[in-house]
Amino acid sequence: MRESIHKYFQIGTIRWMSFPKMGVLESIKRIAADDYFDAIELTKCKDDEEREAVKKLLEQSHLKVCYGAQPRLLGPKLNPNDIDEEGRKAAEATLIEAIDEAEYLGAKGIAFLAGKWEEATKEQAYKQLLKTTRNLCDYAAKKNMMIELEVFDFDMDKAALIGPAPYAAKFAADMRMTNHNFGLLVDLSHFPTTYETSKFVIQTLRPYITHLHFGNAVVKEGCTAYGDKHPRMGFPDSANDTAELVDYLTVLKQEGFFNSKNPLVLSMEVTLVGDEDEEIVLANTKRVLNRAWALVED
């Protein structure tokens, strides 16, 4: 593409993935001072003092603020589709808190993921997830905010209910019947873990996609960083590098996602393996994105 990628997407990064070693405020300053980024994705602050300091930095930055509530669920192992109603309510409660915190920080919504499930109770879990998500959407609508569900693997690592693309499409269609402030977040990193291609996922989920991620995964059993670990692009034995990102961007172009008037967030979700360096891995990701963009046909 001859035109800048920033015309069609708001390029972001996930703070806690890009800078797992660096402090929260220092890493936000690092991202905010880098004009390569148009967006930043944050998660729960440790206390009121940190939350206020984060807010002050973001207000100066002109960054689009996004809020990822996934760590709120994954850390304490909360499940928004828990068939035990008390467990479901506990997951919903932290996600309601996430909406309030996101609003305070200037985000216009939150993203989360479905919980684990058992084959025997899959239909019940689906109904529980609908209940949680509808409650979140109803609450967020009062604040003019969005709720986004990220699509994960269903049997490899996170083993989330949502899930393969056709099942995600069914869930999104059910949600849109009652709530218009719902969308799906899709991530190139997860396509290999759901045994799907960019073309299949994006075409299947096209009406519902409101947020984009890209990164990498290792899906060869027994290899370093196997599963949903988001290693750097081109990591040994991994699934994604420049060619796969070119394909992802090309399909997004073909399906009408190059929107200069209302660009979606496209965030890099890449982290460290072992003793790798944060700055180098981040620069690696930018280089791959720059090269992939240059190879997308006009």
Side-chain angles (χ1 to χ4, degrees):
M1 290 290 296
R2 286 184 294 246
E3 294 178 292
S4 170
I5 192 172
H6 300 276
K7 178 176 179 179
Y8 297 109
F9 297 102
Q10 292 179 289
I11 303 302
T13 192
I14 290 92
R15 188 214 62 76
W16 70 93
M17 298 290 282
S18 290
F19 293 101
K21 299 176 183 178
M22 193 180 292
V24 171
L25 296 180
E26 185 182 358
S27 59
I28 291 173
K29 288 179 183 177
R30 164 70 180 75
I31 295 165
D34 183 349
D35 69 359
Y36 191 89
F37 294 112
D38 312 302
I40 185 170
E41 305 204 19
L42 306 166
T43 193
K44 184 180 180 181
C45 296
K46 67 179 180 181
D47 54 33
D48 290 344
E49 182 180 359
E50 182 178 89
R51 193 174 298 109
E52 185 176 352
V54 168
K55 181 180 176 68
K56 287 181 178 178
L57 290 175
L58 295 173
E59 286 174 342
Q60 301 169 51
S61 70
H62 214 291
L63 286 165
K64 180 180 178 68
V65 181
C66 304
Y67 189 102
Q70 297 91 333
R72 280 176 168 266
L73 299 173
L74 292 169
K77 294 183 168 56
L78 294 173
N79 183 347
N81 44 267
D82 199 328
I83 59 170
D84 174 70
E85 184 63 8
E86 292 307 308
R88 188 202 66 76
K89 286 180 178 178
E92 182 180 305
T94 195
L95 293 171
I96 292 290
E97 288 178 9
I99 293 169
D100 290 338
E101 184 173 46
E103 181 186 34
Y104 178 79
L105 295 175
K108 298 299 184 184
I110 68 164
F112 75 110
L113 79 159
K116 293 186 184 294
W117 57 282
E118 299 291 338
E119 185 63 40
T121 56
K122 186 174 181 179
E123 289 186 15
Q124 194 175 349
Y126 186 92
K127 291 176 182 176
Q128 290 290 82
L129 186 62
L130 279 175
K131 184 191 299 183
T132 301
T133 311
R134 284 178 175 145
N135 290 344
L136 296 176
C137 285
D138 289 345
Y139 185 77
K142 298 172 186 175
K143 302 170 180 286
N144 196 29
M145 293 171 70
M146 281 286 294
I147 300 297
E148 296 171 328
L149 183 69
E150 184 168 7
V151 183
F152 276 82
D153 70 272
F154 53 90
D155 71 349
M156 184 175 291
D157 190 329
K158 297 295 189 293
L161 178 63
I162 311 294
Y167 205 49
K170 171 179 164 47
F171 184 81
D174 286 343
M175 278 303 307
R176 288 272 181 94
M177 290 289 287
T178 55
N179 299 88
H180 295 171
N181 61 328
F182 175 80
L184 294 176
L185 191 168
V186 299
D187 185 344
L188 175 64
S189 308
H190 298 156
F191 301 172
T193 71
T194 55
Y195 323 104
E196 295 168 326
T197 65
S198 289
K199 184 175 182 180
F200 180 80
V201 173
I202 294 164
Q203 288 185 344
T204 300
L205 301 180
R206 188 186 182 284
Y208 312 112
I209 295 171
T210 55
H211 194 143
L212 300 158
H213 284 175
F214 75 93
N216 196 9
V218 174
V219 294
K220 294 181 180 179
E221 290 192 53
C223 294
T224 302
Y226 172 77
D228 184 33
K229 302 296 189 295
H230 292 269
R232 59 183 159 81
M233 304 300 285
F235 191 81
D237 300 304
S238 65
N240 293 336
D241 204 346
T242 307
E244 288 73 24
L245 186 52
V246 172
D247 180 56
Y248 184 49
L249 292 169
T250 299
V251 175
L252 288 170
K253 183 174 187 289
Q254 292 168 344
E255 295 301 319
F257 285 95
F258 283 26
N259 186 341
S260 61
K261 292 183 179 179
N262 187 27
L264 295 188
V265 171
L266 172 63
S267 286
M268 48 190 73
E269 186 169 2
V270 176
T271 196
L272 314 182
V273 176
D275 62 353
E276 292 180 339
D277 183 276
E278 292 167 319
E279 298 282 1
I280 294 173
V281 170
L282 190 63
N284 163 332
T285 315
K286 291 180 188 176
R287 290 186 185 104
V288 172
L289 181 57
N290 289 343
R291 178 61 179 161
W293 183 255
L295 293 174
V296 175
E297 297 291 336
D298 286 307

